[in-house]
Amino acid sequence: MINVGITGHRALTPMIEGYIRREIRVTLQTQNASDLTGITCLADGADTIFAEVVSEMGGRLIVIVPATTYRDNLPAEHHSAYDQLYNQANEIYRLAFHESSSKAHMQASRLLTRLIN
């Protein structure tokens, strides 16, 4: 079993999104999908692209929700993609923070790093 976690940039241009999607596919294609677990917070941008590729490959998806207001603080146009991937997740970790703050995001990143080990 290989666990791969990602956190990355948001508000990407279409050209950069395409590049990231290609590079994630190239990087993950060497893995057997049945052994692959992707871990992410599903922010718009690299997080979501990664989750989509893992799902397309048939891998498992673990979602970390940093705070109860996390989704609300993401761009409204991202909510449908977030909801779709959230609903596909094999496991969901919800942190105890209410506000989607830098402290909540740091704790989510720490959990992500623990889960990949």
Side-chain angles (χ1 to χ4, degrees):
M1 179 68 65
I2 182 167
N3 295 335
V4 179
I6 192 170
T7 182
H9 288 285
R10 299 174 55 202
L12 305 171
T13 66
M15 183 181 81
I16 296 298
E17 285 182 1
Y19 175 78
I20 290 171
R21 187 174 303 278
R22 282 188 305 277
E23 291 303 310
I24 289 173
R25 276 197 184 110
V26 166
T27 301
L28 295 180
Q29 74 183 1
T30 62
Q31 302 304 316
N32 183 340
S34 64
D35 292 333
L36 176 63
T37 298
I39 308 165
T40 179
C41 292
L42 295 180
D44 53 304
D47 289 28
T48 292
I49 294 167
F50 171 75
E52 289 170 347
V53 171
V54 168
S55 290
E56 290 166 8
M57 291 177 63
R60 295 182 72 246
L61 184 61
I62 296 176
V63 171
I64 300 171
V65 181
T68 55
T69 61
Y70 179 71
R71 179 190 177 275
D72 297 336
N73 290 320
L74 296 172
E77 61 272 8
H78 178 63
H79 289 178
S80 63
Y82 178 93
D83 293 345
Q84 181 179 8
L85 290 163
Y86 180 93
N87 290 327
Q88 291 175 1
N90 299 92
E91 290 181 59
I92 300 171
Y93 290 83
R94 293 174 194 86
L95 300 186
F97 296 93
H98 176 69
E99 293 298 320
S100 188
S101 64
S102 59
K103 183 176 180 180
H105 297 180
M106 178 59 76
Q107 289 304 317
S109 294
R110 287 185 174 133
L111 174 57
L112 186 148
T113 58
R114 282 195 307 272
L115 292 172
I116 60 174
N117 292 321

